[in-house]
Amino acid sequence: MSKTDPGNYFEDFRLGQVLVHATPRTVTAGDVALYTAFYGPRFSLFSSDEVARASGLPAAPVDPLIAFHIVFGKTVPDISLNAVANLGYAEGLFLAPVYPGDTLMAESEVIGLKENSNRKTGVVYVRTTGTNQRGERVLSYVRWVMVRKKDAEAEIPEQATPKLADAVAAADLIIPATLDFSKYDYALGGAPHAFEDYAIGERIDHVDGMAIEEAEHAMATRLWQNTAKVHFNQFERAKDPSGRRLVYGGVVISTAKALSFNGLQNAGLILAINGGRHVSPYFAGATVFAWSEVLDKADLGDGVGALRLRLVATKDRPCDDFPGKDEAGVYNEHVILDFDYWAAVPKRG
């Protein structure tokens, strides 16, 4: 019996299967520094212990997307090592802040399986939960991924497609227990815009663009211990029509979120992921641009509001005219990400 692990193929998964993922990871200040180096986020709550303390927290938590990437990376060897592509996200909740020194672990349950008509691949749906060293849940999300079959003729005994919520309800959002924006310093945050200043239906062009280089995306993906072959194995990727390695979709999410600072300076704290789709593949070298739309608002009380935001990212296409879908529902050819999330934002009242 081989001591090496080739990863799971589609026919290896079963509905209800629980996967305990290897290699717990202790979050460090180094992770935060590298995250800043790769994506350039400037949200004050994650950049300054003093700003965080003035907001009722013991110190600056890590950006929620750091926790997401670490937990996601744990799942790759078991779920998506043999993936064709990661397809989407839903029902994501950030349940507790994560600080440097916390150790994160991950576990997933297979909640859906659907073989594709070509019988060469299938879609696996999993619900992943990340916990800290105290056994507290820090995040939970559903994702679905297209995975290769090892044997196209293999029969899949039981299949089902889960019914997922269109969005996380505002009533289910969880804010850190001690979070208090009553003394929030808007000047230090970077802009005067509060909850009251955003309107449902408003669109914001984030103006700036950022190219991601080959070395950057490879290092960023290794940082989270994500081992998916499509990101690293150029020998195999040379056989693909593109001939290139795919950039991990999380790199695109974090880049677009960092770009959103220009216009959403005080909305850095992600509370939930309602949905997300990697619309088309992204390859290193292209410049990423982004725009956002305010889909909804919710008053969470105690000086905290929440904005439901749609974040759209493009490659080599500025977003001053908000490219998205046309009247037929077809995406503009330059769109690479459509990401729907809730973010906390301070209220003035």
Side-chain angles (χ1 to χ4, degrees):
M1 183 176 181
S2 174
K3 291 184 172 62
T4 59
D5 183 3
N8 289 316
Y9 290 87
F10 182 70
E11 61 263 41
D12 297 321
F13 293 98
R14 296 291 181 270
L15 288 175
Q17 181 180 8
V18 175
L19 300 162
V20 178
H21 305 298
T23 319
R25 171 77 177 271
T26 299
V27 186
T28 70
D31 293 316
V32 177
L34 285 169
Y35 188 86
T36 303
F38 288 132
Y39 311 114
R42 293 177 282 162
F43 298 103
S44 62
L45 192 66
F46 314 125
S47 300
S48 166
D49 285 341
E50 296 307 314
V51 169
R53 291 187 187 112
S55 300
L57 302 177
V62 304
D63 190 303
L65 287 174
I66 290 180
F68 175 81
H69 292 317
I70 289 175
V71 169
F72 185 103
K74 303 295 97 191
T75 72
V76 168
D78 299 313
I79 295 169
S80 48
L81 192 65
N82 296 305
V84 177
N86 193 56
L87 300 178
Y89 313 91
E91 298 184 359
L93 269 174
F94 292 90
L95 303 166
V98 174
Y99 296 91
D102 284 341
T103 296
L104 301 183
M105 294 154 279
E107 182 175 295
S108 298
E109 180 184 358
V110 179
I111 62 171
L113 293 170
K114 184 65 175 176
E115 186 177 21
N116 289 328
S117 58
N118 63 13
R119 300 208 66 193
K120 296 179 180 179
T121 59
V123 179
V124 181
Y125 297 78
V126 296
R127 187 181 302 278
T128 296
T129 302
T131 57
N132 63 20
Q133 68 275 16
R134 294 179 294 276
E136 300 164 340
R137 297 191 309 151
V138 299
L139 69 99
S140 176
Y141 64 91
V142 172
R143 73 160 169 141
W144 50 103
V145 56
M146 187 185 302
V147 179
R148 294 181 177 87
K149 291 180 70 177
K150 186 173 184 180
D151 176 7
E153 301 304 315
E155 296 295 332
I156 310 303
E158 187 178 6
Q159 301 184 52
T161 301
K163 182 174 176 55
L164 302 171
D166 292 333
V168 175
D172 293 331
L173 298 176
I174 297 172
I175 59 174
T178 59
L179 185 68
D180 180 1
F181 280 146
S182 62
K183 297 180 180 178
Y184 188 83
D185 191 320
Y186 290 90
L188 296 181
H193 313 307
F195 174 76
E196 295 84 350
D197 298 317
Y198 292 93
I200 294 173
E202 179 180 359
R203 292 181 170 187
I204 303 164
D205 172 19
H206 299 302
V207 181
D208 306 311
M210 185 183 299
I212 301 166
E213 305 301 340
E214 291 283 9
E216 291 174 332
H217 89 81
M219 290 179 68
T221 306
R222 282 195 292 265
L223 177 65
W224 314 124
Q225 299 172 316
N226 179 336
T227 57
K229 298 174 185 178
V230 293
H231 307 316
F232 295 109
N233 191 330
Q234 182 58 39
F235 177 77
E236 291 296 329
R237 289 299 297 172
K239 303 172 187 177
D240 183 83
S242 70
R244 303 185 65 187
R245 293 173 292 148
L246 285 173
V247 173
Y248 162 47
V251 169
V252 176
I253 293 172
S254 283
T255 301
K257 185 65 172 68
L259 291 172
S260 77
F261 176 85
N262 194 347
L264 289 167
Q265 292 89 336
N266 301 314
L269 183 59
I270 298 178
L271 300 176
I273 297 172
N274 299 305
R277 179 180 174 188
H278 297 291
V279 177
S280 63
Y282 171 78
F283 301 103
T287 298
V288 177
F289 296 90
W291 65 274
S292 293
E293 180 180 4
V294 180
L295 299 178
D296 201 357
K297 299 176 65 175
D299 187 336
L300 303 183
D302 297 325
V304 181
L307 301 177
R308 182 181 171 189
L309 298 162
R310 178 193 180 202
L311 175 62
V312 178
T314 63
K315 56 184 177 184
D316 289 338
R317 172 68 155 75
C319 294
D320 53 329
D321 60 345
F322 311 110
K325 293 181 180 180
D326 62 20
E327 293 181 356
V330 177
Y331 280 100
N332 180 285
E333 62 180 339
H334 295 275
V335 173
I336 54 176
L337 174 72
D338 198 338
F339 191 68
D340 180 343
Y341 68 100
W342 284 101
V345 63
K347 288 167 46 188
R348 286 201 191 87

